[in-house]
Amino acid sequence: MPADASEIRSIPLFAGLEETQLRRIQEICRVVEHGRRDVLFREGEPAEGIFVLLSGRVKIYKLSPDGKEHILHVVRPGQAFAEAAVFMPGGYPAYAEALQKSRTLLLPKAPFLALLQDEPGISLNIIATLSRYLKQFADRIEDLSLKDVSARVARWFLNTAREKGRDFWDLEITKGELASQVGTVSETLSRTLRKFQDAGWVQVRGRFVKILDKGALQAVAEGPAEE
Amino acid sequence: MPADASEIRSIPLFAGLEETQLRRIQEICRVVEHGRRDVLFREGEPAEGIFVLLSGRVKIYKLSPDGKEHILHVVRPGQAFAEAAVFMPGGYPAYAEALQKSRTLLLPKAPFLALLQDEPGISLNIIATLSRYLKQFADRIEDLSLKDVSARVARWFLNTAREKGRDFWDLEITKGELASQVGTVSETLSRTLRKFQDAGWVQVRGRFVKILDKGALQAVAEGPAEE
DNA sequence: GCCGTCGGTTGACCTCCGTCAAGGAACCCT
DNA sequence: AGGGTTCCTTGACGGAGGTCAACCGACGGC
């Protein structure tokens, strides 16, 4: 199935490209459809190419030998993923699975690398997105090693509010998946949310969440114990 | 102080560059000397440019409000660092401090970005190193959220042995710093090392460490509990 | 020599949070 | 409707590991 030209144009990765380059991208890429729970790739598999999510939601996650998962990132439409895999031996560094019915653009590795040679602007875009990921991951490592669950959940509220631009929204993942993102299990998340709610800091009703006291969350996000 | 041309030539980041490009790099960079415990930059500070370590050791680390630190990475000579900071708003994403007397090459942001425009090969090198970091960080997140301390320490032994190419070596950091790298505190690391030693898996004498039973370490690194 | 600092080890304690188990709610299917 | 998922919540329990404290050896300065 061919990709829509206007869809390609609106992808941040390809921002500022010439018409001829866009056409070239359109030629080398293909569109793939995925149903809920479809696995796009597994950790360690040789990388086919770079993906861009057109619609739906895809989770990028690590899986431990005993089956526990940790979600590194939930990809939204317009974002590229598996960039790093293309430039590294060792194949994909994580798993990817569709959370909903999704459509992705797949740019096979070899022609994409060739494209980079002619179009340095794309390289800079890739560097920018990799840098952003790197910072996010560094923050995650900081959180996991230095903060407790309450601080991580508080930070999740604040970060999400910042990127959404408002202080209420709908979860587009299950609470179990949210737990996996902040590095805990659903039971502990459930208790933490209840604590936050009883304290009057947030409102949680089903999948709807709302921040009521941003200052309190910030205090919790900083240090586990403030005296 | 000017940089030595042969030093620049041997930096992986600039591999495969023409003589004229190398000269240009030599013109825009400057060499900085740092004593032990000198702080090169702090999290949040605006990024001056990209660093390359010429000699010594530099730790990249996160600091929590209450003073605890987590070492993200120990930079070795030849490696670049703070790449991500240059391409991102928000300044440096972490702290950097010299562990020993060190010399670094500093390439100021603006001329370096200009250089990238003309020399797409460098972009690809940057993408490659960022991808490597990204994978390392993803692995760290996996470890921190899904593995216990013993598994993380075992993995540290195996990874270090792999990159050193032998199964014995000298710690070039303190054990407290090693603890911070694997996401624990010195007391717990001390106990874990004792456990490993009593089990006959490794030998630790002062700063000298040696792997005695690689298979056992691999088993521990996989899953906390194997039955 | 003596003493201060730093790194490392060990012991005792206690808390956070992961695990196990059970029950409920909401949403599919026929 | 009813029965099967899947998701969520709550309770009880236990253990990994962080914290506090004391102690020791090595090193460096004066």
Side-chain angles (χ1 to χ4, degrees), chain A residues 12-23:
Chain A
L13 187 62
F14 304 129
L17 288 198
E18 310 275 327
E19 204 52 47
T20 60
Q21 297 289 6
L22 289 173
R23 195 177 313 280

Side-chain angles (χ1 to χ4, degrees), chain B residues 68 148-149 184 187-188 191:
Chain B
K68 282 183 302 187
D148 60 19
V149 172
T184 183
E187 294 95 323
T188 300
R191 286 183 245 270

Side-chain angles (χ1 to χ4, degrees), chain B residues 4-23:
Chain B
D4 187 349
S6 72
E7 273 182 324
I8 293 179
R9 209 185 313 276
S10 63
I11 294 169
L13 186 64
F14 304 129
L17 288 199
E18 309 276 325
E19 204 52 47
T20 60
Q21 296 289 6
L22 288 174
R23 196 177 314 279

Side-chain angles (χ1 to χ4, degrees), chain B residues 204-220:
Chain B
V204 182
R205 205 156 289 159
R207 297 226 169 154
F208 173 82
V209 299
K210 181 173 183 178
I211 296 181
L212 299 176
D213 185 346
K214 198 166 281 195
L217 289 181
Q218 268 151 359
V220 174

Side-chain angles (χ1 to χ4, degrees), chain A residues 87-136:
Chain A
F87 302 96
M88 248 191 15
Y92 294 110
Y95 294 76
E97 181 186 312
L99 289 170
Q100 316 168 357
K101 200 166 176 315
S102 301
R103 292 171 62 237
T104 58
L105 210 62
L106 173 58
L107 294 114
K109 187 167 172 169
F112 180 69
L113 288 176
L115 179 68
L116 281 191
Q117 301 286 356
D118 317 348
E119 191 57 53
I122 302 184
S123 294
L124 291 182
N125 280 337
I126 293 203
I127 291 176
T129 65
L130 287 179
S131 299
R132 221 176 354 256
Y133 276 131
L134 209 52
K135 173 168 171 45
Q136 282 173 16

